[in-house]
Every structure is written in C-alpha cells, then in structure tokens.
Amino acid sequence: MEAGTITTLYDLKEYLTGVFAARQQEISSNDTPFVAAKRAEAFKLFSKAGFPHAALEKWRGTDLSRALNHEYHTLPELPSAELDIDKIFKCDVPHFETLLVTQLNGWYADRKNLIKVYPNGMIIGSLAAAFSKYPELISEHYGKYADDKAESLTALNTAMSQDGIFIYIPDNVTVEQNLQTVNITDFKQNLFLNTRNLVILGENSHLRLVQCDDSINHDVTFINSVTEVKIGKNSSLDHYKLQNKDDHTTLINSMYFHQDEGSSLSTNAISLNGGLIRNLSHVTMSGRHSTADVYGLYLMDRYQHVDNQVYINHAAPECISRELFKGVLDDHASGVFNGHIKVHRDAQQTNAFQTNRNILLSDKASIDTKPFLEIYADDVKCSHGATIGQLDAEALFYIRSRGISESNAKILLMYAFAADVINKISIPELRQRMDDMVKKRLRGELSQCEQCVLNCSTHEHNKVEFKIDIAKI
Amino acid sequence: MLSIRNLKVSIKGKQILNGINLEVKAGEVHAIMGPNGTGKSTLAYIIAGRDGYEITEGEIIFKGKNILELSAEERACEGMFLGFQYPVEIPGVSITNFLRTAINEQRKYKGLDPVPAVEFMARMEEKKQLLELQEKLANRSVNEGFSGGEKKKNEIFQMAMLEPSLAILDETDSGLDIDALRIVATGVNKLRRPDNATIVITHYQRLLEYIIPDVVHVLFDGRIVKSGGKELALLLEEKGYEWIRSES
C-alpha cells in the first residue's frame, strides 16, 4: 500500500471491540445459544491476544500494521431483498458450468431463499439461517475445526462474523456440477469484513468447490475470511481459491480442513494480485488412508505481499500429504512460505512431501521460506525442499536459439514454472481459464477487474493494470 | 555459408578456443570430432550466440554478415539452428505452440505475416512423415518426460520445421540406440539441400556411417589440428585420439 493512504494512527482493536460491545444484539441476532457461547468465548480470546504482530513466530514475515492503520467500517447492512446479483456479475468462462452461490459484503446474497434444499439432499444457504434451522449440524461442526486459540484473527471472525455460506452434502452424493462461491464486496467506504463459511461433506460424497473473491469498488478493504470444512469418510473435496484483488486489499483467508478415514482433499490457492494476502491451509487428517494435496501459486509484484501458511496435522496412520507451492516475485514484492508438518506418535507409515520453489526477478523482491517438520512416529517418509532462484540461463538460451526473443523466452519460462501448479487443476475449463490468466499476468495484460473466473460487468472502465516488468529481469 | 577466422575465446580468463579457422560452403556436411573437453560444444555455443564467453579475437561470418554482434534469436532468424546435446525441458509449453511461436518470430524478423494455422499443421504432419516419427508430438510439452532418444528426435523435428540454412548438431548421437540414431541420420540426410549446410559435432565415428561428411575436422586443445575427407574419421576410430596427441 502506498504511504499516502495512511491517514491516522488508529487503534483498530479498540474500535472493533467497541463495536462488539455496543452492537452485540445486532451481531448475534441469528445466534442460537450454542453459537452465542462460541462468540463470547472467541471475543475474550481476541480481546486478550489482539491482532497478530511480528513477534509471533507464524507472523514474523507478515506485517499487518499498515493494513490495520485505517479507519474501517464494519458490520455492513443487509443487502436489499430485491438485489439481482445477475445484474452485477456474469461468469465469462466459456463452458464453465457452475452452480453459483454469491455473498455480498459477507451476507448470503439471495435474501428471498436463505436456505435451498436440493433433490439429492444437498443444502446450500446462509450460515446465519442455518444456525437455527440445522442446530445438530451446527453444534457438531461449527467452530470445531477453526482454531480460535492459535489464530487471533480466526477468533475475531468467530466473534464478529454475521453470515456466510453454509454447504451440506449428505452421505452418498456426488455433486455433478461445480459449486462456485463468490464473495463480492461493494461498499463506498473502507470496509473490514469478517465472513464465515461452513462446508460439510458426509460419507462417500464428492464435491468440487471454487471460491472466488471479487470487489466492485477500490476502497481499502480488509477481508478476514474463515472457512471450516469437514470431509467425511471416503469423501472427496476438490477445492480452489482464486485471488485477484487490488493493492488496497488485505485478504486473510483461513481454511480449516478436517478429514475422516479414506477421504481425499485437493486444495489449490492461486494468488495473482493483492495488496496483502495470507492463506492458511490447516489440514487435520484424523482417519487412516486419507490424502491431502495442498497446492499454491503466487505471482506478485510492486509492493504486494503473499503469505502461505500450511499446517498438515497427521493424526492418523497411513495418510499421504503432498504440498507444492510455486511463486514468482518482482519489484519490491515479498513472500512467506511456512510449511509445518506434524506427524503424531501413532501416525505410522505417513508419507508427507513438501516443495516450495521461488523465482525472484529483482534484487528487492524477497521470499522467506521455512519448512518445519515435527515428527513423533518412527516409520514415516517425509521430505521437504525449498528453492529460490532466477530463470535458468541454459533454458533461456535454448528458447532464444529457436528465434524467440529474450522477453518472450522469459515469459515462456515463467509460464513453464507456473504450469506445474496450473496442471493440477482438474476442472478442464477452469484450468484453461487459469492458464490464460497466468499468461496474461506474466505478459502484464491482466486487469484486476478480470476477476478470477468472473468479470465485473458494471465497472469495465475501472480497470487497473498490473505488470511484471520484463525489462528488469 | 560460414567462415570462421582466427576465433579466440576465453571464459573467466581461461582460453578455450585458440584460433579456429573453419570454412563451410552451402550443400556441405562437416564433421567436427575430438576428445572430450577440447572445446567442441563451446564452438557450437559461440556460433549460435550463447552469452557468457569473451571473444578476444577473430570473426564469424554467416551468409556474408558478421554475426558476433547479433543475439542468439537474431542468428536463428538469419537461418542458424543448434541441436542441443542436452535439450531443455519446458513443461506446460506444447511443441505446437513452441514451434509456432518460433516460426512466427522468425517470419516477423523477415517482415512476413504469421503462418496460417492450417498451413502450420500441414507442415507439422509433413515433417513428421518425412522423419518417420511415430510419436504423437503435437500436444506434448517440449521435451518434458522425453527419453534421451525422443529428445534428440525432437531436435531434428524442430530443425525440419524451422528449415535453417546452417544446422549445428552438438553430439546428437550421444545416448542414442541404433534405431534412434538411424532416424536422426535419415532426417539429416533427407533435409540436406544444395542451399543448406550441416555441422555434425561428434565424439564417435559411428554417426558418420549414417551421415557421410564432406569434410572431417579434428579439434584438439581449442584448435583444428587436422582436416580431411571422410577417411579421416575411420583413421581416428582405428588409431584413437592418442594418435592426434602425438601428431600435434
């Protein structure tokens, strides 16, 4: 963020705790006693811990102080019941058939149908509405996987979030369509948003979920998003998080996955732009024979910052986790990768692999990469590797020797570097689209409005250009 | 086609080429032989325009132009091709896209419009048949997961597609089984024309049973110490490089 956007030295914690005290009734208007108790407990935790700061081990490389030094509004009003989301957004990915679920400023957008039950038993709706409608599911899962004690921003979310998306897939259901959730922010002032989602997959069920963030205006936004995901026995989730935000946005995206026996998870966070992005992928494997594939790609420049925190908790034997994170950083961009693998004493025959590879294009760009293996079992296979480098000179020469210009050869190599992660996308239309977006990003042609898989149809004229400066490589 | 005169090259202060003279005419095939570490690959890299070498003396004239000032891509656009000893893998970039980009950049250099897609695909098919390639190349990423033989065949395929005036094949025979070797050699022979030339760099005489050279040069200690007809290769095979060492 530019220095000019800092207005006052401001105590955001004091402001938010003040709002919580003054408007508690409004915040908890949809709460059941169970949810209210969680909220109160989380509020205490946040009040005590405050915002994360650089002295904390897991926040050493990410400085939130600039992002916190703004006057924000919080608790945005409910969207109008007449809101027609189709008029604001259209999906422009060819042949990308999705079941689209939208949020506006954190609120479930379809105010006329807060809960929808599908013929196969699938439930999609507002989390606030689900609190009282499905109290058993809520008390079994809500707040069970998110770690309010370890992450004060998660605690803040539990304390202050008002709504989000609730997804329930019953046993033995394969969801054929791709489920796409879009969180739109449209607010005329600086906005601090706590948005909360809960995804529950029963046994033997399968879901593909694409989560996108979008913004209509370009004011300063702080999005503190928490998603809890339960993947039941022998179920699978194929999950994507696509991030293409402007430089005024701080995006804290905390994902808590809980896997039962025989389940599989594939999650892929693709960060193309954003002022400050922190992705937490917290995976607990609680049953045998589960697999978790955790991938990430980040392409950052200017003063952008990206932080990927992965915590794989091998709590059961015979599970496999594979991590692959790759990034290109230019200008003054900075990055953090923190890969923590914990293998419990009885989690024998664990396979855990971790790779983080980075290309730095300028002297000022930086990456702080740290693997952390905590292993208490003796029969395990674990590996980790981190590389930081420049583009390979021999490969550049190879491409140039075919007549391809130096600048195009560099783009080709950066693209080849990123392709590893793009190729992990198993939805062909989405892979094609991300492929195009990465190419555009590398050529400096990607606009922020060309959001993830969506195009903001109302604000074409607001396009902001981002560019990795090839000339400086 | 190519004239190299008194070329002296060093890298990080260490002299590698000590005055190379080489004359290659259109329609000719030259073989450069020599033991390992005598500068064969360096010579190939320098002709093709690799950065990082210090050229202390001499000149390289290619089709009448001094090319030492040209970048690698400009030399390629002028009609130069280097078949690599160790072709580089480029994951995520299909051979089709790679070659189309290369051909179109070369066409742009010459002031020509991009090649139409249909024409390009037809050329791909034609060259595949010419080289008797069975592989489904089009959608594979450049060299990714290729065996050693496949990589070398892919180099020859690229050469066929780019139709250079001068092709330099750096140890294209190394690591090839006899079938792959035959395909590579057949490709070189079929692509041979009165208006192009080939330089084959090799350690062994074996490849020259399939590609008959007009001239054989022996490179030793950064210098061409002997040149002759194809019989020189046989002599080398028989007497070994020790013979050259004692001669020079």
Side-chain angles (χ1 to χ4, degrees):
Chain A
M1 247 162 265
E2 296 88 346
T5 58
I6 294 174
T7 49
T8 53
L9 277 170
Y10 185 67
D11 192 338
L12 186 60
K13 181 189 164 193
E14 192 181 291
Y15 167 71
L16 290 173
T17 50
V19 169
F20 185 83
R23 296 169 69 181
Q24 195 164 11
Q25 214 171 359
E26 181 190 339
I27 294 170
S28 33
S29 57
N30 291 302
D31 287 4
T32 57
F34 172 81
V35 175
K38 288 263 172 212
R39 207 181 274 289
E41 200 182 321
F43 180 71
K44 275 188 209 150
L45 286 169
F46 175 73
S47 302
K48 193 161 170 251
F51 281 104
H53 47 82
L56 298 169
E57 180 61 28
K58 294 204 162 170
W59 286 87
R60 243 181 16 191
T62 296
D63 183 5
L64 278 183
S65 60
R66 272 166 181 250
L68 298 176
N69 198 12
H70 292 277
E71 285 192 42
Y72 285 103
H73 289 260
T74 191
L75 307 184
E77 64 274 21
L78 269 173
S80 147
E82 305 308 315
L83 173 78
D84 184 357
I85 212 82
D86 296 338
K87 284 199 175 140
I88 309 179
F89 284 93
K90 63 171 196 287
C91 186
D92 74 339
V93 180
H95 317 298
F96 187 42
E97 297 291 331
T98 69
L99 186 59
L100 186 65
V101 184
T102 45
Q103 274 171 290
L104 183 64
N105 296 332
W107 292 101
Y108 190 76
D110 186 357
R111 303 309 300 171
K112 288 180 185 155
N113 305 290
L114 288 175
I115 297 279
K116 193 167 177 193
V117 182
Y118 290 78
N120 60 8
M122 173 169 78
I123 303 167
I124 296 174
S126 144
L127 180 61
F131 284 161
S132 50
K133 182 127 188 172
Y134 303 104
E136 300 82 18
L137 286 174
I138 295 297
S139 58
E140 194 183 340
H141 301 288
Y142 181 76
K144 287 289 158 73
Y145 316 118
D147 193 345
D148 289 341
K149 289 194 180 73
E151 293 283 342
S152 66
L153 280 167
T154 298
L156 175 66
N157 181 288
T158 307
M160 294 198 72
S161 65
Q162 290 173 285
D163 199 5
I165 294 172
F166 173 76
I167 297 168
Y168 172 70
I169 314 293
D171 294 350
N172 307 309
V173 169
T174 298
V175 182
E176 299 294 344
Q177 274 178 296
N178 301 306
L179 189 57
Q180 181 183 13
T181 67
V182 181
N183 183 19
I184 304 155
T185 49
D186 183 12
F187 204 71
K188 298 290 176 277
Q189 290 150 311
N190 295 351
L191 179 64
F192 191 106
L193 195 60
N194 290 290
T195 169
R196 181 72 168 237
N197 307 306
L198 178 60
V199 180
I200 304 163
L201 274 82
E203 297 186 1
N204 301 309
S205 288
H206 307 281
L207 177 68
R208 291 184 300 270
L209 177 63
V210 182
Q211 284 186 297
C212 310
D213 285 288
D214 209 332
S215 51
I216 286 186
N217 47 48
H218 298 280
D219 286 300
V220 178
T221 310
F222 192 119
I223 299 173
N224 180 30
S225 163
V226 173
T227 302
E228 291 181 280
V229 182
K230 164 66 182 270
I231 309 172
K233 191 177 170 184
N234 297 330
S235 288
S236 72
L237 175 68
D238 192 8
H239 172 257
Y240 303 91
K241 187 86 196 176
L242 311 178
Q243 298 162 335
N244 190 31
K245 303 291 280 187
D246 64 36
D247 285 11
H248 300 297
T249 300
T250 299
L251 190 58
I252 308 293
N253 164 46
S254 307
M255 302 288 313
Y256 294 91
F257 300 98
H258 191 94
Q259 292 185 248
D260 282 353
E261 187 180 336
S263 66
S264 62
L265 163 70
S266 174
T267 177
N268 199 334
I270 296 177
S271 313
L272 297 177
N273 276 301
L276 189 159
I277 294 176
R278 185 183 199 256
N279 291 311
L280 167 67
S281 300
H282 185 292
V283 181
T284 295
M285 306 173 92
S286 68
R288 282 169 191 266
H289 304 300
S290 295
T291 59
D293 291 309
V294 183
Y295 306 124
L297 174 68
Y298 41 96
L299 308 173
M300 309 306 266
D301 60 2
R302 303 195 293 177
Y303 285 89
Q304 298 176 341
H305 179 81
V306 63
D307 178 345
N308 279 293
Q309 299 279 328
V310 184
Y311 176 56
I312 311 271
N313 186 15
H314 279 273
E318 297 163 51
C319 292
I320 301 171
S321 67
R322 290 173 286 243
E323 292 169 58
L324 175 64
F325 281 77
K326 297 183 96 172
V328 180
L329 299 150
D330 195 7
D331 299 337
H332 289 76
S334 52
V336 174
F337 175 81
N338 211 328
H340 184 172
I341 298 172
K342 181 171 178 178
V343 183
H344 291 248
R345 191 183 303 273
D346 54 356
Q348 298 294 355
Q349 297 183 332
T350 286
N351 283 297
F353 309 107
Q354 180 188 94
T355 306
N356 174 226
R357 297 182 62 198
N358 299 281
I359 291 179
L360 298 184
L361 297 176
S362 93
D363 293 349
K364 300 284 191 298
S366 67
I367 176 81
D368 181 2
T369 173
K370 193 178 140 202
F372 181 53
L373 273 54
E374 195 185 348
I375 300 170
Y376 300 103
D378 49 22
D379 181 15
V380 299
K381 263 188 222 159
C382 287
S383 72
H384 65 87
T387 58
I388 302 168
Q390 282 83 38
L391 294 175
D392 180 48
E394 178 75 4
L396 265 180
F397 174 57
Y398 183 74
I399 298 167
R400 292 174 66 193
S401 77
R402 300 305 185 241
I404 297 172
S405 70
E406 188 177 4
S407 61
N408 280 340
K410 283 174 177 170
I411 291 172
L412 209 60
L413 279 184
M414 284 192 281
Y415 171 72
F417 176 78
D420 264 4
V421 178
I422 297 297
N423 288 341
K424 304 281 188 196
I425 299 175
S426 64
I427 305 169
E429 301 80 14
L430 186 64
R431 183 172 61 239
Q432 184 59 49
R433 173 58 169 206
M434 292 320 297
D435 198 80
D436 289 347
M437 286 186 74
V438 165
K439 281 180 191 157
K440 276 187 169 178
R441 176 71 169 100
L442 294 172
R443 285 198 299 258
E445 293 165 4
L446 182 66
S447 95
Q448 188 268 322
C449 268
E450 212 163 332
Q451 182 65 37
C452 306
V453 287
L454 290 168
N455 251 349
C456 153
S457 58
T458 52
H459 284 68
E460 286 286 316
H461 57 281
N462 271 351
K463 284 193 173 180
V464 183
E465 294 292 326
F466 294 85
K467 190 168 166 50
I468 284 183
D469 189 352
I470 294 299
K472 285 192 311 193
I473 303 168
Chain B
M1 177 75 67
L2 182 78
S3 300
I4 300 179
R5 290 173 202 148
N6 194 31
L7 185 69
K8 292 186 180 174
V9 176
S10 55
I11 179 165
K12 289 174 188 160
K14 188 178 173 249
Q15 185 136 339
I16 296 177
L17 299 182
N18 303 316
I20 298 273
N21 289 293
L22 184 65
E23 202 70 39
V24 179
K25 293 194 182 66
E28 289 181 344
V29 173
H30 287 234
I32 298 179
M33 301 183 72
N36 287 328
T38 52
K40 299 194 301 290
S41 287
T42 304
L43 178 62
Y45 270 16
I46 285 166
I47 299 171
R50 175 80 141 100
D51 297 331
Y53 296 99
E54 198 191 334
I55 293 159
T56 50
E57 232 180 290
E59 58 184 10
I60 303 177
I61 310 292
F62 177 52
K63 296 201 286 191
K65 256 187 205 168
N66 187 348
I67 57 165
L68 284 178
E69 296 303 314
L70 298 185
S71 65
E73 56 267 35
E74 286 167 329
R75 294 182 201 196
C77 293
E78 291 285 343
M80 184 92 75
F81 178 88
L82 174 62
F84 279 58
Q85 185 177 0
Y86 303 107
V88 175
E89 296 192 14
I90 315 172
V93 178
S94 72
I95 293 171
T96 307
N97 280 341
F98 182 66
L99 279 173
R100 231 177 125 181
T101 307
I103 285 174
N104 285 338
E105 290 219 21
Q106 293 202 12
R107 288 176 66 93
K108 195 173 149 196
Y109 182 85
K110 292 171 190 135
L112 299 170
D113 287 336
V115 58
V118 177
E119 195 184 315
F120 176 80
M121 294 316 287
R123 203 203 292 194
M124 291 265 291
E125 203 44 51
E126 178 207 329
K127 301 297 181 186
K128 247 182 80 177
Q129 286 184 7
L130 178 81
L131 300 178
E132 297 162 31
L133 294 178
Q134 306 300 322
E135 290 88 347
K136 284 197 177 71
L137 286 171
N139 293 319
R140 290 183 73 179
S141 294
V142 179
N143 295 325
E144 190 188 24
F146 282 28
S147 69
E150 282 178 316
K151 282 182 182 173
K152 298 297 173 74
K153 281 191 265 180
N154 187 34
E155 293 293 283
I156 300 300
F157 179 65
Q158 289 181 42
M159 177 176 104
M161 288 295 290
L162 294 169
E163 300 179 337
S165 317
L166 175 68
I168 303 160
L169 304 177
D170 185 11
E171 305 263 3
T172 301
D173 53 330
S174 67
L176 288 193
D177 62 34
I178 205 76
D179 290 335
L181 188 70
R182 196 184 47 77
I183 286 180
V184 165
T186 308
V188 172
N189 292 331
K190 281 187 176 169
L191 294 167
R192 193 170 173 176
R193 291 199 316 228
D195 61 343
N196 66 19
T198 309
I199 299 175
V200 181
I201 294 176
T202 181
H203 186 74
Y204 303 103
Q205 187 267 341
R206 190 177 65 153
L207 179 66
L208 305 180
E209 289 171 15
Y210 299 89
I211 303 171
I212 311 298
D214 298 298
V215 189
V216 175
H217 307 275
V218 182
L219 190 66
F220 194 76
D221 279 346
R223 243 193 304 266
I224 290 176
V225 293
K226 224 174 183 54
S227 297
K230 60 179 189 239
E231 64 286 350
L232 180 57
L234 293 168
L235 208 58
L236 270 176
E237 187 78 357
E238 186 191 322
K239 297 194 171 181
Y241 287 115
E242 278 308 310
W243 165 64
I244 293 290
R245 202 161 301 201
S246 58
E247 290 259 308
S248 67

